[in-house]
């Protein structure tokens, strides 16, 4: 009894201590003589208490049960003990004595509590993790998967365990998995991207981090893996890269536009001289006069050069010089005959114009040029025949569209879609199609300005253009033109103004280029106007002071060395409030609308211009 290493007691049926071994005395620090004869609950649980604790295993022996055990807190000993109570019965089966043995399990209980808390923290960490966590065996079969992993793989909670990666991957991805498994068997950690296919067919891109698992013998048994779904992030990165590329392309086009604008300005001054003197000669030479035919050819060539320059300017301008409200559906319908003459068999041309399309602000001729350029490009892309569809429809661009299409604006638009079934383009070609002089056609078959002009006109209209194409799958151009808002209208005044009735009108001509000033002076004099001229804004101001109110019209270039035409007009107008002003310029980035238009008494004339166009602007200025 005394050799038992745990505290041991012998109790009678009333729980009085009959004997206590040495381990009890050592535990409570009292000799057994002070313990024997006292109730056990008073010694170990609650000195001075009224009775035993309700969970005491001794209490269950009175019901005739056999060995009873239980864990109990013994306050006097300051710990938790595992108590076993064995009954000793008489010949009639009555309880005579109880062998009571207690084992101190305080440290074990503390260790178990710490273990439970650690497991709970681990479980919470793994199960609440937003990233998927899994364990796979050597066959890539899941032995464990947290809820996030179930969600990433698109399966019900708790069902990823037992399934293999092969069930979620296409065959080409399995080659990657096998390669990574071989690397892990060699002891390497993996960090790679893996495309999976969810049960519903949706593909998702995962970023995988895997660490090899080894058995007791050091052999490979599987891997610990962490999965992060980066599909949306990758799409956002791709979209950002695409938008950045669009921005760079736009900036490059703008830079080219500024260069083209400067060239066009100088060229327009030359054309003003060439075409202007040609006009004057054609007015003076009778129909059967000598050299009239040669002069007419010079004039015709000048007009062609002016048209080419106009194309360059069209690209440079952010909006047309003179805008008007136009109905694109009517314009496209009116073009059908011309388009069908241009697009013949074996190309099947289909044209659809929704009459519900709103009006857009721009130049009808520029709109027609866009349609023709796109149609001809599509025709050339189908040498063996195909289908060309030209559609016009109303559409409302929302915020999502604007985010995905650089330069687009929200609101109602008119969409012009030109689609062919031709040879298509590579991505490299598609990114360059709007560059000036870039062409994939054979030498002598194209100038490379067609789509360059299309881009410029669309930007004039305040719109945006979107192109999709793949080799051998055709090309689709989608052009979005904002619908005109408010009462803004520009009258269609194609009729030539009268070139008579300017007798007695005095005009002050301001132009820094001598040849241009000379030809414009000759035009003005041929119309019957009296001309005063100046080569700069400062000189014009001095002339204005000398002649006072005798000058009815100021005809001035805008961009000149020193002060510009706007400044000269302001100073002269302050001194002579009744004077009329006509600005002229060959620069693309000049915006006359800020100082010209209805109610201002001012007009704008784009270089190069004809004698008749000059007469019309003067008539408009004098009649306002």
């Amino acid at each position: 009894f005394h050799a038992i290493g745990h505290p041991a007691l012998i109790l009678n049926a009333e729980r009085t201590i009959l004997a206590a071994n040495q381990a009890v005395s050592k535990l409570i620090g009292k000799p057994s003589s002070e313990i024997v004869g006292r109730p056990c609950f008073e010694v170990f649980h609650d000195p001075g208490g009224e009775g035993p604790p309700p969970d005491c295993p001794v209490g269950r022996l009175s019901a005739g049960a056999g060995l009873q055990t239980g864990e109990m807190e013994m306050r006097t000993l300051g710990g938790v003990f595992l108590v076993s109570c064995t009954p000793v019965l008489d010949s009639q089966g009555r309880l005579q004595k109880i062998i009571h043995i207690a084992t101190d399990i305080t440290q074990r209980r503390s260790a178990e509590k710490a273990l439970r808390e650690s497991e709970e923290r681990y479980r919470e960490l793994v199960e609440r993790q937003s990233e998927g966590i899994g364990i796979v065996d050597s066959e890539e079969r899941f032995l464990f998967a947290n809820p996030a992993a179930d969600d990433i793989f698109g399966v019900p909670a708790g069902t990823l365990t037992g399934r293999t990666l092969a069930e979620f991957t296409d065959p080409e991805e399995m080659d990657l998995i096998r390669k990574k498994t071989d690397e892990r068997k060699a002891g390497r950690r993996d960090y790679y991207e893996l495309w999976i296919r969810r049960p519903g067919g949706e593909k998702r891109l995962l970023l995988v981090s895997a660490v090899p698992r080894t058995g007791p013998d050091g052999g490979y048994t599987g891997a610990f893996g962490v999965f992060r779904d980066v599909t949306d992030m990758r799409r956002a990165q791709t979209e950002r890269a695409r938008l950045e590329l669009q921005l760079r392309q736009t900036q490059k086009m703008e830079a080219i536009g500024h260069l083209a604008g400067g060239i066009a300005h100088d060229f327009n001054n030359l054309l003003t001289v060439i075409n202007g003197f040609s006009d004057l000669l054609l007015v003076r030479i009778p129909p059967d006069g000598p050299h009239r035919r040669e002069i007419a050819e010079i004039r015709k060539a000048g007009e062609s050069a002016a048209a080419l320059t106009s194309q360059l300017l069209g690209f440079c301008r952010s909006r047309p010089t003179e805008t008007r409200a136009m109905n694109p559906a009517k314009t496209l319908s009116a073009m059908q005959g011309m388009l069908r003459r241009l697009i013949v068999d074996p190309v099947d041309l289909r044209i659809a114009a929704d009459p519900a399309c709103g009006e857009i602000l721009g130049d009808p001729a520029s709109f027609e040029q866009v349609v023709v350029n796109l149609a001809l490009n599509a025709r050339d892309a189908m040498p063996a025949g195909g289908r060309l569809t030209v559609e016009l429809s109303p559409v409302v661009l929302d915020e999502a569209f604007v985010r995905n299409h650089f330069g687009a604006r929200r609101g109602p638009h008119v969409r012009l879609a030109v689609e062919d079934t031709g040879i298509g383009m590579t991505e490299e070609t598609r990114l360059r199609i709007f560059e000036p002089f870039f062409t994939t056609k054979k030498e002598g078959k194209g100038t490379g300005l067609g789509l360059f002009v299309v881009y410029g006109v669309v930007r004039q209209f305040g719109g945006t253009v979107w192109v999709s194409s793949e080799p051998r799958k055709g090309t689709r151009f989608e052009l979005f033109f904002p619908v005109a808002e408010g009462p803004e209208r520009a009258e269609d005044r194609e009729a030539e103004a009268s070139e008579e009735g300017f007798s007695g009108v005095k005009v002050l001509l301001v132009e820094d280029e001598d040849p241009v000033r000379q030809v414009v002076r000759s035009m003005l004099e041929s119309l019957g106007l009296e001309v005063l001229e100046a080569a700069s804004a400062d000189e014009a101001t001095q002339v204005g002071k000398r002649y006072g109110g005798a000058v009815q019209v100021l005809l001035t270039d805008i961009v000149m060395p020193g002060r510009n035409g706007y400044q000269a007009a302001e100073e002269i107008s302050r001194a002579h409030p009744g004077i009329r002003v006509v600005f002229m310029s060959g620069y693309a980035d000049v915006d006359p609308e800020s100082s010209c238009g209805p109610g201002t008494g001012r007009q704008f004339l784009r270089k190069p211009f004809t004698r008749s166009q000059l007469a019309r602007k003067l008539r408009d200025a004098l009649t306002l």
Side-chain angles (χ1 to χ4, degrees), residues 251-493:
Q251 291 172 334
K252 180 169 66 174
M253 299 295 281
E254 288 179 354
I256 295 173
H258 288 306
L259 174 61
I263 296 173
H265 166 260
D266 294 339
F267 199 39
N268 278 334
N269 278 340
L270 296 174
L271 290 173
T272 300
V273 176
I274 295 170
N275 294 349
F277 279 124
S278 297
D279 277 342
L280 291 173
L281 289 173
L282 291 173
V283 169
R284 295 169 184 171
I285 297 176
D288 57 349
H291 307 299
R292 182 179 178 88
R293 179 179 176 182
E294 289 83 353
I295 296 172
E297 288 298 322
I298 294 174
R299 183 68 181 87
K300 183 178 178 181
E303 289 176 350
S304 298
L308 178 60
T309 309
S310 178
Q311 290 182 348
L312 291 173
L313 288 176
F315 169 77
C316 303
R317 299 183 208 129
S318 60
R319 59 181 306 174
T321 304
E322 292 183 277
T323 60
R324 68 191 72 185
M326 58 163 289
N327 187 318
K330 289 183 178 180
T331 301
L332 181 59
S333 297
M335 295 177 64
Q336 288 200 42
M338 176 184 65
L339 289 175
R340 295 193 184 281
R341 287 191 294 272
L342 290 173
I343 312 299
V344 296
D345 290 339
V347 175
D348 177 18
L349 174 62
R350 302 180 185 183
I351 301 176
D354 190 335
C357 291
E359 292 186 327
I360 60 177
L361 285 178
D363 177 23
S366 297
F367 182 84
E368 291 177 1
Q369 185 180 23
V370 166
V371 176
V372 170
N373 283 357
L374 292 176
L376 291 178
N377 266 11
R379 180 200 65 185
D380 294 343
M382 297 183 287
R387 184 176 64 255
L388 170 59
T389 304
V390 181
E391 294 179 335
L392 204 63
S393 58
V395 64
V396 177
L397 304 186
D398 57 16
E399 186 63 36
F401 184 93
V402 170
R403 284 197 304 268
N404 294 323
H405 295 75
F406 183 79
R409 297 182 296 177
R410 289 182 298 175
H413 284 67
V414 174
R415 174 172 58 194
L416 172 65
V418 180
E419 184 173 8
D420 65 66
T421 58
I423 59 177
M425 295 179 283
T426 64
E427 182 66 8
E428 181 181 3
T429 299
R430 190 186 70 84
L431 294 175
R432 297 191 59 193
I433 56 175
F434 295 120
E435 294 181 10
F437 308 111
F438 174 77
T439 179
T440 58
K441 298 177 182 178
K442 295 180 180 179
E443 186 175 353
K445 296 294 184 179
T447 63
L449 287 176
L451 293 179
F452 173 77
V453 171
V454 167
Y455 181 88
V457 172
V458 173
R459 299 302 294 168
Q460 284 182 25
F461 280 70
T464 187
V465 57
W466 190 252
V467 186
S468 57
S469 182
E470 291 184 40
R472 298 180 299 281
K473 292 186 179 181
T475 300
R476 180 178 175 86
F477 282 83
E478 288 187 302
L479 284 60
F480 299 91
F481 302 97
V483 173
E485 298 178 358
E488 182 179 356
R489 294 292 184 270
E491 296 181 1
D492 187 1
R493 297 173 295 176

Side-chain angles (χ1 to χ4, degrees), residues 28-42:
I28 65 175
K30 294 180 180 180
S32 60
S33 58
E34 295 184 18
I35 299 173
V36 173
R38 297 174 60 186
C40 65
F41 54 83
E42 181 182 294

Side-chain angles (χ1 to χ4, degrees), residues 54-74:
D55 58 343
C56 179
V58 176
R60 296 195 292 272
L61 293 176
S62 61
L67 174 67
Q68 299 293 316
T69 61
E71 294 182 4
M72 302 186 66
E73 182 179 359
M74 297 186 180

Side-chain angles (χ1 to χ4, degrees), residues 136 180 184 188-192 208-212 223-226:
V136 297
K180 293 301 179 181
R184 287 197 299 272
R188 289 182 54 181
R189 297 189 174 199
D190 287 328
Y191 194 74
Y192 61 99
V208 181
S209 176
V211 179
F224 300 97
V226 178

